[in-house]
Structures are given as structure tokens and as C-alpha cells.
Amino acid sequence: MDNCTNSAKQFLKLLKVRYTNAYLKDSILGHPDHPSLLSVSDTLSKYNIESLAIKITRHKFDELTTPCIVQVSLHGTTLFYTLNKITKSRVSYFDDKNKLHEASKEEFLKIWTGVCLMAETNAASKEIDIGKKLANKRFINTLIGVSAILLALWISINFTKSDVIGNVTLTTYTILYFILKLIGLTAGIFLLWFDIDQNNPTLQSFCTGGKKINCNAVLKSKYASLFDGNLSLGLLGFSYFLATFTYFVLYNFSTTAMSLLAITSITTFPVIVISIYYQAAVIKQWCKFCIIIQTVIIAEIAIAFAGGFYKTIMALETLPIYVALFLMPILTWKIIKPLIEQQKETNVFKCGLKKIKSNPFVLESLLLKSNKITSSTEGLGITITNDNAKYNIIKVCDPYCGPCAKAHPILEELLTVGSINLQVLFTATNKEKDRRAKPVRHFLAIDTKNKKKIEKALDKWYMAKEKDYDTFAKCYPMNGELLDQNAKIDAMNEWCKVEKITHTPTLFINGYELPKEYTIEDLKEVLI
């Protein structure tokens, strides 16, 4: 887990402020300055928690109010720990993995940077809509518990019986009943689809068709849900048809199964009447999906009476599994739906981000705010130009760097279409133990005026699965030219030191370093 998120999570626990993992994670990871103490502080403000980031001397360490978040430095890495308790000689804290530790005060002060975040709660300190979120969580936990109990009860009853429940009796009525279940189940699936994607053009075209037809008005009204919005009638309808269909198949279309199903269909009749009343008199709009389901259930009731199924003996020992079949779809959907909505939201954000990042004006404005090259690159490395190219790209790379190899075909594609001029610099040195020097000397010794030759050589090196210099050198034999490249390597190395190149590949576009918001893969979208 992210260190900032982990620290904030433990901090909220110690402050006894209720939260949900999803909201906390989204708030911190979505902060423009993440990872930082500011991302944690701004997130705490969403919980109505006042916080203050300060830097103090070690002599005032004992004055810190616990709990608080402190910054530590371990082996050059900055982390946030959650301080739990301070005594005269000991310190209790949660590390970056939320494990509780205890250390001497002197030992802890060695890693503490002096930075800390203190906070103060009040009566209003809580997450937005936390009551509703926790109620939904309790509802899911209740469904899990009830389903587990019913399943265990059904197993305990039926696995001790040796006889088979019911006989297989396929009649015209049972076949019709089965077809009705399929139609109802299909309508139930569309209701779930509508629940997460009501703006879908296909659904909207079906759900409209007159002044009185409006699925949105019906399914999104307050009358279309139970238990404070935790259970929609659409989900209840889907669960009804899936449970009865599964039960019907599970018990081989037997007469005893039909008895329980018939009674269930008959008991739903009041629901049909209430639904029709609200659509006709209260909402004054009709939902096509609701009409289909109502028609199916009415037809089921008719078959139940026509076939006399309600009169047959009912297998009460199957009642636990029957109820469990009703609850399991509800439970499953409660778990799956947030994941689907989250994925949908992620896709929306990705599309929006892609639109922004693909705008060349956005890139150009961000470039002006990034690091600018301070020294000239004229005569350094390998330069491949195109006529009318708008962008000049400098790539600082390592011949054995994996990310550099992945970046090569992308830049090669931009070169091919004529969008960029490319200058390749290397971080090699002339030291004997620097294995980078040999391939770099070879690159520089190849006739760089021959555009196709140098491009082919770079392709051969970077596209190879295993980078073996001896194999590469045989393809481009030299006659003493390698010795003439040392001065060029020294010049590139000096340039890298002046520009403080710390990693490869480092890219500069028109003299400015590629902003951290962009990856090399993004350039295919914005520069072409």
C-alpha cells in the first residue's frame, strides 16, 4: 500500500475517525502533489480535521502531541511513520507497513527529520456520507452471514437424506413456466445493466417511446428501492428470477419444486399491484422492463392455477437453499457493482486524461515549466534530422538500459514519420571498467552522415534480446576508428554532469525536459 495512504489510515484509526479505504485512497492518490505530507494534510481537511505541518528541533520532540505523523529518513529514502506514544525513554510508532514498533528515543531521533504533522479532531470530524457507506457495508455483511447459515442448514438437512426429492414430470405447463423464467431472467439482466449504464444508447432507445414511457423516471425514483436505497427493485427482480430459475433446474422440474415456485409467484401478486399503482397514479410514467416483468409474473400465476401446482406437496427441506438462492445474487451484485462502477469511472478519467495529454498546446505549456538545457549539445552524440520537423528531441541514454531500449522504437517511429529530429547522447565514460564505452564508441565511429546506416545500427543494438557487443561489432567492422571516439565520450560525459542527468532515458523536447506527467509512450499521441 502507498506509504502516504497507509500513514493516513493508521492516523485516522488512532484519532478514532471513521473512514473507508476507497475514499481515503482516492483522495490521497488523486492529489496533485502526491506523494507528500501535503497530500495527507489536504485529505485530512476533507474529514473536517485541522492539521498543522511543522519542523522542530529534537529538543522539542517530547512536546509533540500524539498521535501524529512524522517524517523519517532511512538509507536515503523518506518515509512517513505514525507516532503512537512517547514516554521518557521509549517511542511507540507504526512503520510504513502499519506494523507497531517500539524503540528507544535516541534510536528514533537518529532517523527523524524533524518534520511532523499534528491534527485536532472535532465533533464533525468524519468522512462524507460515512453513515450511508457503513450501513451498506453492514448490509453486505448481514447478507453474507444469513446466506452462509442457510447454506449450512440446507447441507445439514439434505446430506442426511437418502431419497430423491420429487419426480421429473415435464408437461406443457412446466415447459411454459420454464420459458417464462428465461424471459424474466433476461429482463432482470437488462435491469442490472440499466442500473450501472442507464445512459447507454441501446437501453435508452428501448426505454423511450412515448410521453408515458420513461424507465429513468421509474427506476430512479425513490419508490424503486428499499432499505434506504440499499436494495433496488431491479436487483430484487433479477434475484427473484435467477433464484427461481436455478431452483427449478436444480430440482429437475419436479412437482414438489413447482409447488414452492407456484406459491412464490402467487405471493408476488400484491407487489405487481403496488408497482402498477405507483407507475400509473404516482409517477405517471411507465417502465418497459417493469411491464415485461409484471406480465411474466402474472403469466406464472396463471400457470400455477391452471396446472394446480400450488396444491401439490411442498418439499420444506429445500426451503433454506431456496432462500439462499434469493440472497446470493443480491450479495454478489453488491460486491461486483462497485468494482464495475470504479472501472467505469477509471476509464472515463483515462479518456479525459488522454485527451488532455494528447493536446500539443498542453505539452508545450508544461515544457516551459520544466528544466531547460543550459549548455549546448552541438557536435555531441548522434544526430539524425528530418526536413520540416517541428520538434527537436535529445535522448540521453545508456546502451544497456532496458527502458532506453523500450523507448527506441517509439522515437524511431517518430523519426520515420518526420515529426522529430533526434539527437542521442550517452552517459558512458572512458573508464576501463565501464562496459558502456565499447558500444558507444562503435555507435560514434559509424558514419553518422549515413542516416540509414546509423539507424539500422541502433535498431540492431536496441532491438536485440541479448545485447552482446562482440556479436554487434562483427556486423560493423572498424579499422582504428574506435580510438578516435574517446574525446567525444568525455565531452558527452561532461555535458551530463553539467545538466545533472540522474537517470536514463532522459528526454528533452525543444530544449526542455519531458515533464513527469508524460511518458515516452505518450509522445506517439501528441507529436505525430
Side-chain angles (χ1 to χ4, degrees):
M1 184 181 288
D2 173 70
N3 179 221
C4 293
T5 307
N6 230 358
S7 300
K9 180 179 179 180
Q10 189 60 52
F11 194 33
L12 290 174
K13 283 183 180 179
L14 295 175
L15 291 173
K16 297 181 180 179
V17 174
R18 298 189 298 175
Y19 68 94
T20 58
N21 289 328
Y23 182 83
L24 182 65
K25 185 177 180 181
D26 288 344
S27 298
I28 293 179
L29 297 185
H31 193 279
D33 291 317
H34 172 268
S36 67
L37 203 59
L38 180 60
S39 66
V40 177
S41 176
D42 287 350
T43 297
L44 292 177
S45 65
K46 295 180 181 180
Y47 287 79
N48 288 314
I49 299 175
E50 294 183 6
S51 61
L52 177 65
I54 58 173
K55 186 172 184 178
I56 59 176
T57 63
R58 57 185 297 165
H59 303 293
K60 294 185 178 181
F61 180 72
D62 289 333
E63 298 177 14
L64 287 178
T65 303
T66 56
C68 63
I69 294 177
V70 294
Q71 185 187 64
V72 299
S73 180
L74 290 173
H75 312 295
T77 302
T78 301
L79 296 171
F80 297 115
Y81 285 178
T82 307
L83 202 59
N84 182 39
K85 189 177 180 181
I86 302 174
T87 61
K88 289 184 178 181
S89 59
R90 307 291 290 177
V91 175
S92 172
Y93 64 92
F94 291 90
D95 66 8
D96 55 309
K97 296 181 181 179
N98 269 356
K99 292 184 179 179
L100 183 61
H101 294 271
E102 190 171 298
S104 67
K105 190 179 296 183
E106 289 299 319
E107 184 181 347
F108 186 81
L109 289 175
K110 290 179 181 178
I111 63 173
W112 180 48
T113 64
V115 175
C116 61
L117 179 69
M118 296 188 294
E120 183 177 358
T121 61
N122 54 65
S125 296
K126 62 179 180 179
E127 185 174 303
I128 299 173
D129 293 329
I130 186 64
K132 187 175 181 180
K133 294 173 184 176
L134 293 179
N136 185 57
K137 188 175 181 180
R138 286 193 295 269
F139 183 74
I140 292 175
N141 291 336
T142 302
L143 288 176
I144 292 174
V146 173
S147 298
I149 292 171
L150 291 172
L151 184 61
L153 184 60
W154 176 77
I155 292 173
S156 63
I157 292 174
N158 287 277
F159 276 63
T160 57
K161 295 174 68 66
S162 59
D163 58 317
V164 179
I165 301 173
N167 299 309
V168 178
T169 55
L170 288 176
T171 66
T172 303
Y173 290 124
T174 55
I175 294 173
L176 288 174
Y177 200 83
F178 179 78
I179 293 173
L180 288 172
K181 289 297 180 187
L182 283 176
I183 296 173
L185 183 58
T186 303
I189 292 172
F190 275 96
L191 279 174
L192 290 190
W193 183 13
F194 185 91
D195 196 22
I196 59 171
D197 195 15
Q198 58 265 29
N199 295 320
N200 184 280
T202 303
L203 293 176
Q204 286 299 324
S205 63
F206 178 81
C207 289
T208 55
K211 295 182 179 179
K212 294 293 185 179
I213 302 296
N214 190 339
C215 293
N216 284 351
V218 177
L219 296 177
K220 293 301 176 181
S221 70
K222 63 180 181 180
Y223 308 104
S225 61
L226 303 172
F227 306 115
D228 196 26
N230 278 306
L231 181 61
S232 68
L233 294 183
L235 176 56
L236 193 61
F238 169 79
S239 180
Y240 165 82
F241 283 108
L242 181 60
T244 53
F245 175 83
T246 305
Y247 181 85
F248 199 30
V249 174
L250 189 63
Y251 288 102
N252 300 320
F253 311 97
S254 64
T255 54
T256 50
M258 281 297 300
S259 175
L260 189 55
L261 294 174
I263 293 173
T264 305
S265 297
I266 294 170
T267 56
T268 60
F269 185 74
V271 179
I272 301 299
V273 175
I274 294 172
S275 176
I276 293 173
Y277 166 77
Y278 275 108
Q279 290 182 80
V282 180
I283 305 174
K284 296 181 180 179
Q285 297 285 337
W286 294 89
C287 169
K288 287 185 179 180
F289 290 122
C290 301
I291 294 172
I292 292 173
I293 289 178
Q294 290 161 3
T295 304
V296 169
I297 295 178
I298 291 172
E300 285 182 2
I301 295 172
I303 290 176
F305 278 104
F309 296 120
Y310 65 98
K311 298 178 182 179
T312 57
I313 299 174
M314 184 169 55
L316 293 176
E317 59 267 35
T318 66
L319 194 58
I321 190 62
Y322 187 59
V323 177
L325 288 173
F326 268 93
L327 296 179
M328 283 189 287
I330 299 174
L331 170 62
T332 304
W333 184 245
K334 281 298 207 178
I335 296 172
I336 293 176
K337 184 183 176 182
L339 300 178
I340 296 174
E341 290 178 334
Q342 185 179 18
Q343 182 61 45
K344 185 180 175 183
E345 185 179 2
T346 300
N347 291 336
V348 171
F349 280 119
K350 283 183 178 179
C351 290
L353 181 61
K354 189 175 182 180
K355 288 181 180 179
I356 295 173
K357 294 177 76 174
S358 298
N359 189 330
F361 296 106
V362 175
L363 174 61
E364 289 170 7
S365 64
L366 290 175
L367 283 171
L368 295 175
K369 297 179 180 180
S370 65
N371 297 329
K372 184 180 180 181
I373 292 176
T374 58
S375 53
S376 174
T377 60
E378 186 176 355
L380 298 179
I382 298 168
T383 302
I384 307 172
T385 61
N386 279 303
D387 295 331
N388 304 318
K390 185 178 179 181
Y391 300 96
N392 297 311
I393 290 185
I394 298 172
K395 176 191 177 188
V396 185
C397 60
D398 179 333
Y400 290 98
C401 167
C404 293
K406 291 180 180 179
H408 177 77
I410 297 172
L411 297 176
E412 182 70 16
E413 182 180 347
L414 293 172
L415 261 177
T416 302
V417 298
S419 297
I420 66 170
N421 296 320
L422 179 63
Q423 185 174 11
V424 184
L425 306 184
F426 299 94
T427 56
T429 66
N430 281 313
K431 296 179 181 179
E432 291 185 8
K433 294 183 179 180
D434 191 346
R435 66 170 186 162
R436 299 171 295 180
K438 286 186 178 181
V440 171
R441 288 193 189 101
H442 223 103
F443 295 151
L444 297 174
I446 295 173
D447 185 6
T448 54
K449 293 181 180 180
N450 189 330
K451 178 181 175 180
K452 291 185 178 180
K453 187 176 181 180
I454 190 61
E455 284 183 0
K456 188 176 181 180
L458 290 173
D459 285 346
K460 191 171 188 65
W461 176 264
Y462 279 114
M463 302 300 284
K465 292 183 178 180
E466 294 184 6
K467 294 172 178 55
D468 181 66
Y469 172 71
D470 293 331
T471 302
F472 175 80
K474 290 178 182 179
C475 299
Y476 299 91
M478 294 291 164
N479 294 313
E481 296 93 336
L482 298 178
L483 299 176
D484 299 329
Q485 312 307 319
N486 289 344
K488 296 179 181 179
I489 290 178
D490 286 336
M492 285 191 296
N493 182 253
E494 184 61 27
W495 184 90
C496 290
K497 289 180 180 178
V498 171
E499 298 300 331
K500 299 179 181 179
I501 302 300
T502 58
H503 63 279
T504 58
T506 298
L507 259 66
F508 295 89
I509 301 177
N510 292 343
Y512 293 89
E513 187 174 355
L514 181 68
K516 63 181 180 179
E517 291 83 3
Y518 283 80
T519 64
I520 295 176
E521 287 79 7
D522 293 329
L523 298 182
K524 289 195 299 183
E525 301 292 334
V526 68
L527 298 186
I528 293 180

